[in-house]
């Protein structure tokens, strides 16, 4: 039987594998409609009609310049259009074009198909347990990420014999 540390290391490895596979699949789905993963994320956010480029950049921990570049790419692909906001003339309002709506719907349908293919035949109680555990683990990661980084001086020193 594995020790608790070995079990944790195995779980971390499995989590890393899942994260990598999840990201690879998102990239495949985006490429299937001629987008990058970043373009998909921005397009999805614009589709919610609450898109603010600066807030999006801050939440994604990327630069406003990177978001501006992605917006220019989406404008060039005729997937979005920009207009001056009627509420605040200093802001641009972004919305999907007809083609943008078709692309986002195709992405959503492809994603739904993938979810059904992967998850539908798993036992419901296992999926529920996984969701509960993943939520708790995510909460722990979030709390930990919001703490100050542990400094090297705080770590125990190794004493050589």
């Amino acid at each position: 039987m594995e020790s608790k540390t070995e079990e944790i290391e195995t779980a971390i490895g499995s989590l890393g594998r899942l994260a990598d596979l999840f990201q690879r699949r998102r990239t495949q789905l985006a490429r299937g409609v001629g987008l990058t993963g970043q373009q998909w994320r921005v397009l999805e956010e614009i589709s919610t009609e609450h898109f603010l480029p600066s807030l999006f950049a801050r939440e994604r921990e990327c630069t406003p310049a990177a978001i501006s570049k992605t917006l220019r790419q989406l404008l060039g692909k005729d997937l979005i259009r920009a207009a001056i906001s009627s509420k605040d003339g200093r802001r641009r309002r972004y919305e999907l074009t007809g083609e943008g709506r078709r692309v986002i719907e195709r992405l959503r349908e492809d994603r739904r198909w993938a979810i059904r293919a992967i998850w539908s035949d798993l036992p419901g109680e296992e999926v529920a347990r996984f969701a509960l555990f993943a939520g708790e683990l995510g909460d722990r990661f979030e709390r930990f990420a919001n703490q100050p980084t542990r400094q090297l001086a705080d770590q125990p020193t190794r004493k050589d014999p």
Side-chain angles (χ1 to χ4, degrees), residues 8-131:
I8 290 169
E9 291 294 332
T10 298
I12 290 169
S14 295
L15 181 61
R17 179 173 171 244
L18 283 173
D20 290 344
L21 290 167
F22 184 80
Q23 186 56 48
R24 184 169 28 158
R25 184 62 186 147
R26 281 189 62 83
T27 300
Q28 288 172 339
L29 288 170
R31 283 187 186 147
V33 294
L35 297 176
T36 65
Q38 176 73 355
Q39 290 168 342
W40 179 6
R41 283 188 287 280
V42 171
L43 199 64
E44 188 72 49
E45 189 68 22
I46 290 170
S47 75
T48 67
E49 300 178 12
H50 300 290
F51 178 71
L52 294 171
S54 58
L55 181 60
F56 185 80
R58 199 173 17 244
E59 288 172 350
R60 299 284 191 233
E61 296 181 359
C62 64
T63 65
I67 300 304
S68 291
K69 178 181 176 184
T70 303
L71 288 168
R72 285 191 307 277
Q73 292 166 344
L74 293 171
L75 285 162
K77 291 175 182 267
D78 197 34
L79 299 176
I80 63 171
R81 67 177 139 259
I84 302 300
S85 171
S86 60
K87 295 177 184 174
D88 183 348
R90 297 170 295 172
R91 293 183 184 227
R92 284 185 167 199
R93 181 179 48 81
Y94 295 93
E95 63 185 23
L96 299 180
T97 62
E99 181 62 17
R101 284 189 295 280
R102 283 188 289 281
V103 165
I104 208 70
E105 186 50 42
R106 163 104 187 268
L107 282 165
R108 289 173 178 165
E109 182 54 39
D110 289 350
R111 184 174 179 270
R112 284 189 293 267
W113 177 84
I115 288 169
R116 283 190 306 272
I118 294 167
W119 292 86
S120 67
D121 64 343
L122 293 172
E125 59 278 356
E126 286 188 31
V127 173
R129 268 198 326 265
F130 177 78

